[in-house]
Amino acid sequence: MQVYEYSQDISALVNLPVDCFISESDQQLEVAFEIVLAPSGDELTLDIVSMETEDSSSEDEDSSQSSSSSESDQDESVSQDDPESEYVEDIYWNLRATEERFRPKLDYMDHLPQILRDLRMNLVDKLTRVVVDLQLDTETLHLAINYLDRIFSNSTSVNLQDLTLIGMTALFIAAKHQSRNPPGAQEFVPRDGGYTKKELLEMEWRLLKTLDFALSAPTSNNFLHIFMSTYPVCETTQNLAVFLADLSLMDVDLLVRHDSSKVAAAALFIANYRVNRENWPEDLDLFSGYPVEDIEDCVDELYKLELISATRPLQGIRTKYKNSMSVIQTASTSQSSSSAPTYWRPFNNTMGHFRLTE
């Protein structure tokens, strides 16, 4: 315990607990000053307590108080180490309440050319590679795709020649919103001269106005990490779940049909089953508000997307996780399908896919 020396400046001591003035070393400190302050801050009494004349009962009481204080300090230390743990449920439901506002329109692809769907997939793949090259975090990628889809959702037409510029500008905005030290604008300008830094900054202003400066969108990556903090899983399960959440960014239909929280729940469901052969935990059922039947359709769509991802030419997301992919595949295929949960049944043995039953 730190020893505080007596000071004439009483105001500096107002907020200190009384036990701060009591040293743990009887041999080095002969007397301790106990200062009692009125609510106004005025000194009421100044008692000198001789440590040598204390009787044994007083020493026992002090020892008990010291032990109690030490336990209290440990509790406070634990609370300070994880200050969000107390509020994680409130944070989760607040994000759930706002996620609908940040979703793109359900039918926004209907009024855009079919070619845009393929170009969007190429753009997501390219942005993923840029995120890896610039060492940006996963949340930056998720925010950028959210901005991209909301921009398309609020546009009656899109100039396909500006598609790369729009995507890179969305990533630039997300990096500045998410990172403390984001890369400069020049890092998002291609060396081949596709567009200039000035055009990037002009597009940034246009996109910000289109987004109405609403940048703090809850993403599936947000929800996934909340779930995994509530229900800890092994590193392999974490990697697979995050990979699946990233993979969902490639499928615009999946993103507009399902809330980000449901996509996160589906990703963790699949990862936890494939790695650990575990059912949807009751703790997550209660915490997330998603019973199995509510995420069944999203689980089915996301699992199909994962199955075909290996054969697609766009491998940006799989490349991002290349270091952990072999571990994931080994863990997920080493288990026998006979240990599958009772509410899953195989419907396509060739693809090794499982569908949830009602």
Side-chain angles (χ1 to χ4, degrees):
M1 180 181 297
Q2 185 175 359
V3 179
Y4 292 85
E5 296 180 357
Y6 178 75
S7 171
Q8 295 297 327
D9 186 5
I10 299 299
S11 62
L13 306 176
V14 170
N15 295 323
L16 293 177
V18 174
D19 61 355
C20 288
F21 300 91
I22 302 176
S23 171
E24 292 179 347
S25 175
D26 296 349
Q27 298 175 353
Q28 297 180 2
L29 185 63
E30 185 174 356
V31 294
F33 295 92
E34 181 181 9
I35 298 176
V36 181
L37 302 177
S40 63
D42 299 330
E43 182 179 347
L44 295 183
T45 62
L46 180 60
D47 298 331
I48 300 178
V49 183
S50 174
M51 302 296 290
E52 294 179 351
T53 59
E54 289 289 334
D55 57 21
S56 60
S57 62
S58 176
E59 291 179 356
D60 293 341
E61 182 179 352
D62 290 342
S63 177
S64 176
Q65 290 179 353
S66 176
S67 176
S68 176
S69 175
S70 177
E71 292 177 0
S72 176
D73 291 342
Q74 291 178 358
D75 292 341
E76 291 179 2
S77 176
V78 172
S79 177
Q80 292 174 357
D81 289 343
D82 190 11
E84 293 183 1
S85 59
E86 182 180 353
Y87 308 104
V88 64
E89 189 169 357
D90 292 335
I91 293 172
Y92 171 71
W93 286 107
N94 180 66
L95 292 175
R96 283 285 302 270
T98 60
E99 64 178 331
E100 184 67 27
R101 183 164 64 92
F102 290 94
R103 275 177 63 185
K105 297 176 182 177
L106 182 61
D107 59 345
Y108 94 84
M109 273 292 181
D110 294 345
H111 61 270
L112 295 175
Q114 177 62 31
I115 191 174
L116 184 60
R117 188 182 299 271
D118 295 331
L119 290 177
R120 179 194 173 279
M121 292 180 62
N122 280 273
L123 184 57
V124 172
D125 186 80
K126 181 175 183 177
L127 294 183
T128 302
R129 297 178 186 275
V130 174
V131 164
V132 174
D133 291 341
L134 297 181
Q135 298 182 346
L136 300 173
D137 60 20
T138 299
E139 182 61 19
T140 301
L141 176 63
H142 281 253
L143 285 173
I145 304 306
N146 176 270
Y147 300 161
L148 193 66
D149 287 331
R150 285 163 56 200
I151 290 164
F152 290 159
S153 178
N154 290 290
S155 303
T156 55
S157 62
V158 177
N159 186 348
L160 299 182
Q161 294 180 344
D162 292 336
L163 198 60
T164 300
L165 174 59
I166 294 173
M168 293 297 288
T169 305
L171 185 62
F172 177 50
I173 295 172
K176 293 205 292 184
H177 177 73
Q178 179 67 14
S179 305
R180 293 184 178 181
N181 298 302
Q186 192 61 43
E187 297 292 334
F188 296 87
V189 178
R191 295 185 177 88
D192 60 6
Y195 53 85
T196 65
K197 177 180 176 180
K198 180 181 178 181
E199 290 175 319
L200 177 78
L201 297 177
E202 290 175 349
M203 181 61 72
E204 178 188 14
W205 176 242
R206 291 169 56 188
L207 298 191
L208 286 172
K209 290 193 294 185
T210 302
L211 295 170
D212 197 23
F213 293 87
L215 304 179
S216 300
T219 67
S220 57
N221 185 65
N222 280 149
F223 289 111
L224 182 57
H225 283 83
I226 291 176
F227 292 154
M228 291 191 296
S229 68
T230 304
Y231 184 79
V233 292
C234 67
E235 184 177 356
T236 302
T237 305
Q238 291 180 26
N239 290 336
L240 180 55
V242 175
F243 164 71
L244 291 170
D246 279 11
L247 199 63
S248 70
L249 300 175
M250 298 290 289
D251 191 340
V252 62
D253 295 316
L254 187 149
L255 293 181
V256 298
R257 277 197 297 265
H258 305 291
D259 290 330
S260 298
S261 56
K262 182 182 287 189
V263 174
L268 185 54
F269 181 98
I270 296 172
N272 194 42
Y273 167 70
R274 289 185 61 186
V275 176
N276 305 308
R277 295 298 175 181
E278 292 182 358
N279 296 351
W280 186 233
E282 183 178 356
D283 290 346
L284 279 178
D285 188 324
L286 297 174
F287 176 84
S288 68
Y290 284 121
V292 172
E293 56 270 17
D294 286 357
I295 62 174
E296 174 182 344
D297 52 347
C298 189
V299 167
D300 196 48
E301 293 176 38
L302 185 58
Y303 198 86
K304 288 178 180 178
L305 182 64
E306 193 270 336
L307 286 173
I308 64 176
S309 65
T311 60
R312 284 183 171 177
L314 303 176
Q315 295 291 307
I317 292 177
R318 294 183 68 89
T319 301
K320 179 183 176 185
Y321 294 94
K322 63 181 179 181
N323 292 331
S324 57
M325 190 60 64
S326 59
V327 178
I328 291 173
Q329 291 175 343
T330 300
S332 62
T333 57
S334 62
Q335 302 289 342
S336 171
S337 61
S338 61
S339 60
T342 56
Y343 44 79
W344 279 37
R345 68 168 185 268
F347 83 99
N348 188 334
N349 293 329
T350 303
M351 297 295 289
H353 178 65
F354 291 85
R355 180 187 294 275
L356 287 167
T357 60
E358 296 180 358

